[in-house]
Amino acid sequence: MSEPIHGPLYITNTLTRRKEEFVPLDPPRVGLYVCGPTVYSDVHLGNVRTFLSFDTLYRWLSFIGYKVRYVRNITDVGHLVGDVDEGEDKIAKRARLEQLEPMEIVQKYTNGFHDVMRLFNILPPSIEPTATGHLIEQIGMVERIIQSGFGYEVNGSVYFDVPRFAGKYAYGELSGRRIDELLTNTRDTEGMDEKRSPLDFAIWKKAEPQHLMKWPSPWGEGFPGWHLECSAMSTKYLGPTFDIHGGGMDLKFPHHECEIAQSIAADGHAPVRYWMHGNMLTVNGRKMAKSEGNGFTPEELINGNHKLLDKGYSPMTVRFFMLQSHYASTLDFSNAALQASEKGLERLMAALDLLPGLKAGTADGADVAALEARCHAAMNDDLNTPVMIGELFEGVRIINSVNDGRLTLTAASIDKLRTLMQQMVLEVLGLTHERAAQADDRTLDGLVQAFIRMRAEAKAKKDFAASDAIRDRLLELGITLKDTKEGTTWSRS
RNA sequence: GGUCGCGUGGCCGAGUGGCUAGGCACAGCUCUGCAAAAGCUGCUACUGCGGUUCGAAUCCGCACGCGACCUCCA
């Protein structure tokens, strides 16, 4: 990147709960790992928010010149349903319900996940490893954990010895848990016969004969524990210690805590230098979650087919809506907020369209360089997209004012402004022009142009009743006419 | 119960100890045959009560309200 980047990047490290300057281990390379979805059902909007947050991180890191290896896994085995020991694999359960082969379920929902990511213009990661594709690595990790004395086998299953680990290393640092408090607060200690402590967790689980997804291992037929895959795959692709690990807030404990413990037990040191957690999307103040039944799918969102939705919203409206809050804050979903974002995005994109046609003046009425600096500073301040968007609206004001002849900008400044706006809106925020594709119908354009000419003739004869009738009828069809100095333009609403 | 976090104007949503983020809505004005769009102007908030301070929405304490995690969850 030749563009000047204003100052270092600061990100909130949830491990230290502080905003820290981001310094990669091996610049300009950055290793980024994000916990991906478990592919046993459709993703909902809350999931989308997390992946969007890290998409923003990925985009910004890339924009400021880092070479990012972005690993985001697909969990296609290993999540248990219900009580730990009575646990059943989510994917296997779903497979039974749908009368499908487990890998069919995995494929179906993986495809769905990818569709959704594309819909919201969330970039694909550099590597998208699956848990089932890394059994060898996971078994290897279990063996290393056993060797170091923090794993024990019981009856074909292997558990991680949390109290033993906590006796030597810090456990609970990330989530602020304390081992004695965890022990006090453990709910049901029954049915934990195999585990030495209720805090212990399975890193390898013995498969019952009827279990569908199972693999041979040194401990018999079984499947890997829930937290293991991320540790194994991040180690494989990013090394035993890497820069950034991200995920949703709700994964902090126990998932990420367990990852840390596993890596330390297996390889002797903490896996991650910066932990980042995206906050939840809420509905009426409550977390959107599959279990709450308050989630809706992107499809329902777009066509408005859900009792919580007054109308449908486009993916870019939703993307913009989400970017208008900080990733670390909870964001409450509401129709009023979505509608506000829809309008705002429209204004932003309309200004972007004006950029190529701006006419240069001889003096600068606005400081584009300062605007750029503020945009970069906002992003460098823990990816503060809401503040950056605020700055972009200053850019919108400048663009519109220049377009209306109220403000002048030199050719160089216009150029700089165009580059800035396009980089920030399109590249960094990842917003795309949804309208453009729609209006790309030549027949339609021809028809509307014919009406525009008819209306112009009526106007020339001061027959405003006729000209208004044409405009009103078109509006009913969703076509808005605008009279400007250069003539009449149209757009679809 | 434990841990953590939040409470900002009509709505959404940033935020630094001192200089009214921003978006949407609303009102007025400019432009316009009228609209639309755009620009300008107005709407100056920070749960409550104490405390620290020359000064706090911003720091501390207490209270109230809300949420997340503690079990799978982005």
Side-chain angles (χ1 to χ4, degrees):
Chain A
M1 275 296 133
S2 55
E3 289 300 309
I5 300 307
H6 298 269
L9 169 63
Y10 284 82
I11 54 178
T12 297
N13 188 347
T14 38
L15 189 63
T16 58
R17 274 156 235 198
R18 288 213 185 130
K19 232 183 251 184
E20 296 176 358
E21 183 178 343
F22 174 65
V23 183
L25 262 179
D26 181 27
R29 279 172 286 282
V30 172
L32 169 64
Y33 188 94
V34 172
C35 290
T38 305
V39 282
Y40 68 96
S41 67
D42 291 317
V43 291
H44 63 243
L45 220 54
N47 303 308
V48 171
R49 187 184 184 206
T50 297
F51 299 124
L52 171 62
S53 296
F54 291 103
D55 186 56
T56 306
L57 173 65
Y58 179 43
R59 286 169 181 272
W60 185 246
L61 287 170
S62 304
F63 181 78
I64 61 181
Y66 289 117
K67 306 283 171 236
V68 185
R69 178 178 288 173
Y70 177 19
V71 181
R72 189 184 64 205
N73 66 293
I74 295 278
T75 296
D76 54 358
V77 68
H79 273 220
L80 301 175
V81 166
D83 178 61
V84 175
D85 278 7
E86 297 302 311
E88 181 177 16
D89 193 289
K90 273 185 178 172
I91 288 152
K93 181 183 178 189
R94 191 76 195 191
R96 270 216 330 277
L97 288 172
E98 297 196 11
Q99 302 275 312
L100 295 169
E101 185 66 27
M103 282 315 273
E104 243 178 307
I105 296 293
V106 164
Q107 192 64 54
K108 176 180 170 185
Y109 292 111
T110 300
N111 291 345
F113 170 66
H114 287 154
D115 289 344
V116 170
M117 293 298 102
R118 248 191 313 278
L119 196 58
F120 288 95
N121 199 26
I122 292 168
L123 298 172
S126 330
I127 301 176
E128 191 170 55
T130 60
T132 52
H134 296 76
L135 267 301
I136 305 287
E137 289 81 356
Q138 293 180 78
I139 288 168
M141 193 150 195
V142 173
E143 285 176 324
R144 296 205 298 284
I145 292 169
I146 292 174
Q147 275 159 26
S148 67
F150 297 108
Y152 57 91
E153 189 211 332
V154 181
N155 209 6
S157 293
V158 183
Y159 296 96
F160 191 93
D161 192 332
V162 172
R164 190 189 179 102
F165 179 82
K168 188 166 176 193
Y169 302 100
Y171 179 82
E173 203 184 345
L174 177 68
S175 55
R177 309 289 146 130
R178 286 178 34 189
I179 193 97
D180 47 337
E181 283 168 357
L182 284 170
L183 280 167
T184 325
N185 290 321
T186 303
R187 280 177 186 168
D188 31 33
T189 44
E190 52 190 314
M192 304 280 185
D193 45 318
E194 287 188 354
K195 292 199 281 186
R196 291 179 194 164
S197 160
L199 300 185
D200 293 353
F201 56 91
I203 48 183
W204 185 265
K205 199 78 180 111
K206 178 186 180 174
E208 299 307 318
Q210 70 273 20
H211 202 97
L212 291 169
M213 299 182 93
K214 57 190 167 191
W215 294 266
S217 80
W219 316 281
E221 294 257 296
F223 54 95
W226 355 331
H227 312 300
L228 197 67
E229 46 159 349
C230 288
S231 296
M233 297 190 289
S234 63
T235 302
K236 170 154 182 169
Y237 296 111
L238 300 173
T241 299
F242 60 95
D243 294 307
I244 306 174
H245 188 131
M249 213 63 133
D250 46 359
L251 295 182
K252 226 167 156 182
F253 187 89
H255 186 61
H256 291 157
E257 204 69 71
C258 293
E259 277 188 50
I260 293 174
Q262 285 166 352
S263 286
I264 293 175
D267 300 318
H269 41 81
V272 176
R273 303 176 63 238
Y274 301 86
W275 283 91
M276 291 179 78
H277 288 93
N279 217 323
M280 300 292 105
L281 180 69
T282 60
V283 180
N284 295 323
R286 300 202 160 265
K287 175 183 169 184
M288 184 181 280
K290 284 163 189 170
S291 52
E292 294 263 346
N294 62 354
F296 33 83
T297 62
E299 214 166 78
E300 291 166 327
L301 177 86
I302 289 159
N303 56 35
N305 260 341
H306 194 280
K307 60 179 186 294
L308 287 164
L309 299 165
D310 291 350
K311 54 170 282 218
Y313 301 95
S314 76
M316 282 307 116
T317 296
V318 175
R319 184 171 176 117
F320 185 66
F321 162 71
M322 289 179 174
L323 290 168
Q324 274 184 298
S325 78
H326 188 77
Y327 76 89
S329 304
T330 55
L331 171 64
D332 198 54
F333 181 92
S334 73
N335 282 283
L338 258 293
Q339 273 156 38
S341 292
E342 191 173 57
K343 286 287 193 64
L345 177 63
E346 218 165 275
R347 197 155 80 86
L348 178 64
M349 290 317 229
L352 236 60
D353 286 344
L354 293 174
L355 276 164
L358 292 185
K359 295 192 175 58
T362 49
D364 272 323
D367 189 343
V368 177
L371 180 67
E372 181 185 55
R374 290 199 303 273
C375 285
H376 292 180
M379 289 305 288
N380 278 331
D381 183 13
D382 200 21
L383 307 174
N384 200 328
T385 52
V387 166
M388 211 266 271
I389 289 170
E391 299 297 348
L392 292 178
F393 276 101
E394 169 67 9
V396 168
R397 215 203 83 237
I398 294 170
I399 292 166
N400 287 327
S401 295
V402 171
N403 187 243
D404 290 350
R406 289 192 196 89
L407 192 73
T408 59
L409 232 42
T410 60
S413 291
I414 288 174
D415 211 54
K416 197 171 180 60
L417 183 61
R418 177 166 49 231
T419 305
L420 173 68
M421 292 298 287
Q422 287 176 348
Q423 280 178 337
M424 294 303 122
V425 175
L426 274 29
E427 264 181 66
V428 174
L429 296 180
L431 298 166
T432 59
H433 230 311
E434 293 173 313
R435 288 285 150 65
Q438 282 183 7
D440 190 32
D441 184 327
R442 295 185 57 196
T443 310
L444 178 64
D445 184 58
L447 284 168
V448 177
Q449 292 301 342
F451 281 115
I452 288 173
R453 273 195 299 279
M454 283 168 65
R455 181 164 166 273
E457 284 162 22
K459 277 172 70 175
K461 287 185 263 179
K462 301 266 189 240
D463 185 358
F464 295 123
S467 70
D468 287 354
I470 292 171
R471 187 175 59 198
D472 292 345
R473 290 307 308 275
L474 289 174
L475 190 61
E476 283 170 27
L477 297 168
I479 288 164
T480 309
L481 298 187
K482 269 189 236 173
D483 295 333
T484 71
K485 289 193 195 83
E486 285 76 34
T488 302
T489 63
W490 70 277
S491 63
R492 293 177 89 163
S493 48

